[in-house]
């Protein structure tokens, strides 16, 4: 049975310090319904080595895994196994024999036959929770008062049928709500009584979904595009919500990204999203929550699932607006059928699984995709394509273009016609040499992720006009009349990391001649600042904070000064010496500054590190 807490219990064991210290190696793999021996071997190997493995030969993969496990005491968790084929299990398990005595494999499954096939010990059958234990889970997530828990909470918990997932989601639904009427509405809703033959979704989950606000329902339904066990990043889904228009609000103070972050946190707090066991920066949906998302999505969303009939043509509902699929399952673009059936498509999203093979798109498919004039989200991430046709510029409604991991060498000039573009993702395009010559028309662009694009020759002119930019990972200084550092001065909303390369192209080189530092205190999102080797600076004062800034460095967390040989005086923004007026500063490091005078406190208010 789903929702009993099998995965949660395995996670508690897996992450326990005593367990961590007992084993030489640990690996966690979500198996789900597709028991692909080669894919699972790659995933386990990646979990052990922490590296992506490109080899596609099963024998070579298993030999490598065998070497890594040899004479090592390992713990392996295979989560959510459905496969009943004994021979598949034998093939997968061959490298495990190389492990040292005391190695353990934990398998979670809903199927007793799977346990019989894979197990060497008796299966541990989880039972439903008692009313008291279920109430404890519900109380932990709802934070309700004792009166509400005792009078109404017990009645709600009784409907959870002893399933911790049900208690957890319903608790999240009522979290922070102290009005008795809210609790009574949940208890008395008719959704509990919906006949199972009309809906096979757990009643408690249906209730939790029903009481979401309309924006949360819309954003949650979009997550049905992710296959089961897919691990996604917070920023990844927020950009997709933005591109789909779910976060557009008139007369609002918050940015779409900030609103998306609130929605994400709300869904997480209500247990619709859970933190990944493999990577704390990623999230995953429980299988039953994924089923709920598909139920909520209806015919507007469709995820192409794996089938052995790879050549079968796929037909689509006329209501379809958002489409996703796993590229490695659809070799050459087969099974897309007649793409003219989906002229109203808003989302075309290949979903790359961990260690999945690169996608190969049939030459005839890409031109057809670029005729889908209503696309808002278009991704070719991970595909082996080296050129993007100029017709991409005809997608006038496009807000999200993801070319990460492709082999493209230049970005078509027609991209500059995509006036509505919000996110342009070019991460790991290691052959990319040129962007558009001028990108000044993309005034709505918020995110230009061009990290790991070391071949990029220069950043195009006009980047300074993109005043909405929040993400710019790599700024490449141009030669002669090319883009210069002055382009950056109007980009006041930049967040995250910014790498500036090819500084040898700067016309007026030599920071060492500077006698004052720029007004970096005016950058509202700056979190980490290092000042190094500016040898002629003698004084830090108002020019450093920004004369017109009431609260300089509002987000600064770490500040490091190094090798400022002539620095003598540091005047704070308020009165006194140096570090006053930094509301979030946690770390301060001052190194090799021999002439600096004054006294500093032994500890900062928020300090975790201080070096003087």
């Amino acid at each position: 049975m789903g929702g009993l807490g099998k995965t949660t219990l395995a996670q508690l064991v897996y992450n326990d310090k005593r367990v961590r210290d007992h084993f030489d190696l640990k690996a966690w793999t979500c198996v789900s319904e597709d028991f692909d021996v080669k894919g699972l071997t790659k995933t386990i190997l990646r979990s052990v080595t922490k590296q992506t493995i490109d080899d596609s030969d099963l024998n070579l993969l298993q030999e490598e895994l065998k070497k890594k496990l040899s004479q090592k005491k390992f713990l392996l968790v295979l989560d959510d196994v459905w496969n009943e084929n004994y021979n598949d299990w034998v093939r997968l398990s061959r490298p495990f024999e190389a492990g040292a005595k005391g190695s353990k494999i934990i398998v979670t499954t809903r199927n007793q036959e799977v346990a019989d096939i894979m197990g060497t010990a008796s299966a541990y059958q989880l039972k439903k929770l008692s009313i008291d234990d279920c109430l404890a889970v519900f109380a932990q997530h709802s934070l309700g008062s004792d009166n509400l828990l005792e009078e109404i909470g017990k009645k709600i918990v009784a409907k959870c049928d002893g399933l911790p997932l049900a208690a957890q989601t319903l608790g999240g639904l009522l979290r922070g709500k102290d009005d008795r009427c809210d609790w009574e509405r949940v208890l008395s809703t008719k959704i509990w009584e919906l006949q199972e033959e009309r809906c096979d979704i757990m009643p408690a989950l249906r209730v939790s979904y029903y009481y979401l606000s309309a924006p949360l329902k819309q954003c949650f339904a979009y997550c049905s595009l992710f296959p089961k066990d897919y691990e996604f990043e917070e920023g990844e889904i927020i950009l997709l919500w933005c591109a789909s228009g779910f976060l557009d609000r008139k007369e609002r103070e918050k940015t779409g990204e900030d609103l998306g972050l609130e929605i994400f946190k709300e869904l997480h707090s209500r247990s619709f999203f859970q933190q990944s066991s493999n990577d704390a920066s990623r999230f995953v949906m429980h299988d039953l929550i994924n089923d709920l998302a598909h139920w909520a999505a209806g015919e507007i969303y469709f995820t192409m699932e794996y089938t052995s009939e790879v050549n079968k043509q796929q037909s689509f509902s006329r209501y379809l607006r958002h489409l996703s699929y796993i590229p490695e399952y659809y070799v050459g673009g087969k099974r897309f059928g007649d793409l003219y059936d989906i002229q109203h498509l808003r989302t075309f999203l290949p979903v790359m699984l961990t260690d999945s093979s690169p996608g190969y798109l049939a030459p005839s498919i890409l031109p057809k995709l670029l005729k889908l004039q209503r696309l808002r989200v278009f991704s070719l991430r991970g595909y082996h394509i080296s050129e993007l046709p100029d017709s991409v510029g005809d997608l006038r409604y496009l807000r999200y273009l993801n070319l990460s991991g492709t082999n493209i060498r230049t970005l078509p000039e027609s991209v500059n016609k995509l006036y509505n573009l919000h996110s342009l993702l070019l991460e790991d395009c290691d052959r990319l040499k040129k962007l558009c010559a001028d990108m000044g028309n993309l005034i709505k662009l918020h995110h230009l992720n061009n990290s790991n694009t070391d071949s990029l020759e220069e950043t195009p002119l006009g980047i300074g006009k993109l005043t909405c930019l929040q993400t710019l990972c790599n700024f490449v200084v141009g030669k002669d009349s090319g883009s210069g550092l002055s382009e950056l001065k109007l980009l006041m909303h930049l967040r995250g990391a910014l790498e500036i390369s090819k500084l040898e192209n700067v016309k007026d080189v030599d920071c060492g001649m500077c006698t004052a530092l720029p007004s970096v205190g005016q950058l509202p999102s700056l979190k980490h600042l290092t000042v190094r080797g500016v040898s002629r600076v003698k004084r830090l004062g108002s020019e450093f904070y920004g004369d017109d800034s009431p609260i300089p460095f509002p987000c600064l967390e770490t500040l490091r000064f190094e090798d400022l040989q002539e620095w003598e005086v540091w005047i704070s923004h308020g009165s006194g010496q140096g570090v006053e007026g930094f509301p979030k500063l946690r770390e301060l490091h001052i190194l090799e500054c021999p002439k600096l005078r004054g006294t500093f406190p032994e500890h900062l208010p928020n300090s975790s590190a201080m070096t003087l």
Side-chain angles (χ1 to χ4, degrees):
M1 179 181 291
L4 279 172
K6 298 180 292 295
T7 298
T8 301
L9 182 58
Q11 286 174 334
L12 290 171
V13 172
Y14 187 79
N15 293 318
D16 188 274
K17 184 180 184 301
R18 292 167 295 175
V19 173
R20 185 169 62 246
D21 295 341
H22 183 73
F23 292 97
D24 301 317
L25 292 173
K26 294 195 311 172
W28 181 291
T29 300
C30 293
V31 180
S32 200
E33 298 176 25
D34 177 33
F35 197 93
D36 173 41
V37 175
K38 182 174 69 176
L40 288 173
T41 303
K42 288 178 70 174
T43 303
I44 296 168
L45 186 54
R46 178 182 179 273
S47 187
V48 169
T49 63
K50 309 303 180 186
Q51 297 177 346
T52 299
I53 310 298
D54 294 328
D55 207 309
S56 59
D57 184 282
L58 177 60
N59 289 330
L60 293 177
L61 288 168
Q62 292 202 325
E63 282 299 316
E64 184 64 22
L65 181 57
K66 187 176 179 180
K67 290 179 185 177
K68 297 298 181 183
L69 298 180
S70 180
Q71 301 305 308
K72 299 285 181 64
K73 186 159 56 175
F74 67 85
L75 171 64
L76 171 64
V77 177
L78 299 176
D79 186 37
D80 195 25
V81 181
W82 290 82
N83 177 62
E84 299 178 13
N85 188 319
Y86 178 72
N87 291 330
D88 284 344
W89 166 240
V90 171
R91 290 172 64 210
L92 178 69
S93 62
R94 285 170 184 158
F96 305 153
E97 298 171 0
K101 185 178 180 181
S103 296
K104 301 292 182 184
I105 299 175
I106 297 175
V107 176
T108 71
T109 181
R110 303 183 205 175
N111 189 325
Q112 181 61 47
E113 292 185 21
V114 172
D116 294 339
I117 289 172
M118 301 181 71
T120 58
S122 298
Y124 182 80
Q125 298 282 355
L126 283 187
K127 298 177 181 178
K128 294 181 180 181
L129 297 181
S130 66
I131 285 289
D132 289 342
D133 288 340
C134 206
L135 182 63
V137 173
F138 176 82
Q140 178 185 357
H141 290 275
S142 68
L143 300 179
S145 66
D146 291 341
N147 288 339
L148 285 173
L149 288 169
E150 186 66 28
E151 296 175 19
I152 308 176
K154 279 189 175 181
K155 296 177 182 179
I156 294 174
V157 164
K159 293 178 176 287
C160 293
D161 195 27
L163 299 178
L165 178 63
Q168 183 177 340
T169 53
L170 285 175
L173 170 66
L174 292 169
R175 189 180 184 88
K177 295 183 178 179
D178 296 324
D179 191 329
R180 183 185 184 91
C181 294
D182 291 328
W183 289 54
E184 288 179 341
R185 271 196 294 270
V186 170
L187 178 63
S188 60
T189 179
K190 293 183 179 180
I191 300 174
W192 293 105
E193 302 166 10
L194 191 63
Q195 295 298 316
E196 291 297 321
E197 57 266 23
R198 292 177 54 195
C199 178
D200 59 0
I201 301 298
M202 186 189 300
L205 299 187
R206 295 200 304 262
V207 172
S208 297
Y209 170 77
Y210 178 79
Y211 281 102
L212 293 178
S213 66
L216 264 68
K217 283 181 177 177
Q218 190 177 40
C219 290
F220 174 64
Y222 196 92
C223 298
S224 66
L225 295 177
F226 295 149
K228 288 185 177 179
D229 300 321
Y230 177 73
E231 297 181 355
F232 53 92
E233 294 179 339
E234 177 184 276
E236 174 185 4
I237 186 61
I238 290 176
L239 291 190
L240 291 170
W241 289 339
C242 280
S244 300
F246 299 162
L247 307 179
D248 292 345
R249 299 287 185 273
K250 293 181 180 179
E251 300 178 0
R252 56 175 168 79
E253 296 180 359
K254 298 175 182 175
T255 66
E257 288 83 354
D258 289 339
L259 179 59
L261 182 59
E262 287 184 7
I263 290 176
F264 190 96
K265 288 182 176 178
E266 182 73 10
L267 290 171
H268 182 218
S269 72
R270 297 189 181 199
S271 301
F272 287 94
F273 301 152
Q274 299 176 351
Q275 214 161 25
S276 163
S277 300
N278 296 316
D279 186 343
S281 68
R282 292 180 173 270
F283 297 83
V284 69
M285 291 189 292
H286 189 282
D287 281 2
L288 297 182
I289 299 293
N290 191 284
D291 291 339
L292 177 67
H294 280 276
W295 172 75
E299 294 185 339
I300 296 176
Y301 297 85
F302 185 70
T303 302
M304 294 174 70
E305 300 287 356
Y306 174 73
T307 174
S308 58
E309 302 175 37
V310 293
N311 291 313
K312 182 180 178 181
Q313 295 293 304
Q314 179 69 57
S315 60
F316 303 102
S317 166
R318 62 191 179 96
Y319 300 107
L320 179 65
R321 295 295 181 270
H322 308 280
L323 173 69
S324 71
Y325 66 98
I326 301 173
E328 63 179 322
Y329 291 165
Y330 305 101
V331 180
K334 295 176 181 177
R335 291 193 69 232
F336 283 113
D338 189 351
L339 289 171
Y340 292 100
D341 287 345
I342 52 176
Q343 284 298 302
H344 297 282
L345 200 68
R346 304 291 197 273
T347 299
F348 181 84
L349 186 67
V351 180
M352 303 296 291
L353 300 178
T354 304
D355 283 332
S356 59
S357 303
Y360 291 87
L361 201 64
S364 61
I365 296 295
L366 186 53
K368 290 183 179 180
L369 291 173
L370 294 177
K371 291 181 180 179
L372 301 176
Q373 295 290 308
R374 295 175 175 83
L375 279 177
R376 268 73 166 172
V377 172
F378 183 45
S379 175
L380 294 172
R381 180 183 177 187
Y383 269 112
H384 266 310
I385 59 168
S386 57
E387 186 177 18
L388 189 65
D390 281 334
S391 55
V392 69
D394 298 333
L395 302 178
R396 55 179 177 165
Y397 298 113
L398 196 66
R399 301 181 68 176
Y400 176 101
L401 178 59
N402 192 344
L403 302 173
S404 298
T406 62
N407 296 326
I408 61 167
R409 292 176 171 82
T410 61
L411 205 61
E413 294 299 321
S414 60
V415 167
N416 199 34
K417 295 163 57 179
L418 301 175
Y419 306 111
N420 290 301
L421 199 62
H422 178 276
S423 302
L424 176 58
L425 309 182
L426 303 166
E427 187 177 7
D428 297 322
C429 291
D430 52 14
R431 301 186 185 183
L432 182 66
K433 292 187 175 182
K434 293 183 179 179
L435 304 178
C436 307
D438 185 355
M439 299 183 70
N441 288 335
L442 304 182
I443 57 173
K444 295 183 181 179
L445 192 66
H446 283 60
H447 302 280
L448 174 54
N449 186 342
N450 59 340
S451 61
N452 301 325
T453 52
D454 295 336
S455 297
L456 195 62
E457 294 175 352
E458 67 176 5
T459 299
L461 289 169
I463 202 80
K465 298 177 184 177
L466 312 185
T467 55
C468 291
L469 266 186
Q470 296 179 16
T471 302
L472 176 62
C473 298
N474 184 12
F475 184 90
V476 184
V477 179
K479 292 183 178 180
D480 302 325
S481 59
S483 57
L485 291 175
S486 60
E487 296 265 10
L488 294 172
K489 65 183 179 181
L490 295 177
L491 304 183
M492 301 295 293
H493 301 292
L494 287 182
R495 304 178 180 181
L498 169 62
E499 177 182 346
I500 302 177
S501 55
K502 298 196 176 177
L503 284 168
E504 64 271 20
N505 294 333
V506 174
K507 293 179 181 178
D508 300 320
V509 179
D510 192 2
C511 288
M513 300 298 291
C514 294
T515 58
L517 295 180
S519 300
V520 286
Q522 293 183 329
L523 296 175
S525 301
L526 184 67
K527 289 188 176 182
H528 310 284
L529 174 62
T530 297
V531 180
R532 180 186 296 115
V534 190
S535 59
R536 295 203 173 190
V537 169
K538 293 185 176 182
R539 175 184 179 278
L540 257 63
S542 60
E543 76 288 343
F544 180 56
Y545 304 103
D547 294 323
D548 300 326
S549 180
I551 304 179
F553 299 106
C555 293
L556 193 69
E557 296 179 3
T558 65
L559 177 59
R560 183 183 183 92
F561 296 103
E562 185 174 345
D563 191 22
L564 274 68
Q565 295 295 322
E566 300 298 320
W567 185 23
E568 297 177 351
V569 179
W570 185 6
I571 301 173
S572 72
H573 183 256
S575 58
Q577 179 72 223
V579 295
E580 295 181 14
F582 292 74
K584 295 187 177 180
L585 192 65
R586 295 185 296 104
E587 295 187 19
L588 172 65
H589 303 279
I590 302 177
L591 304 170
E592 299 179 45
C593 302
K595 294 186 178 182
L596 182 61
R597 300 192 301 270
T599 58
F600 297 92
E602 294 184 3
H603 301 285
L604 300 177
N606 307 307
S607 177
S608 60
M610 189 168 177
T611 304
L612 299 175

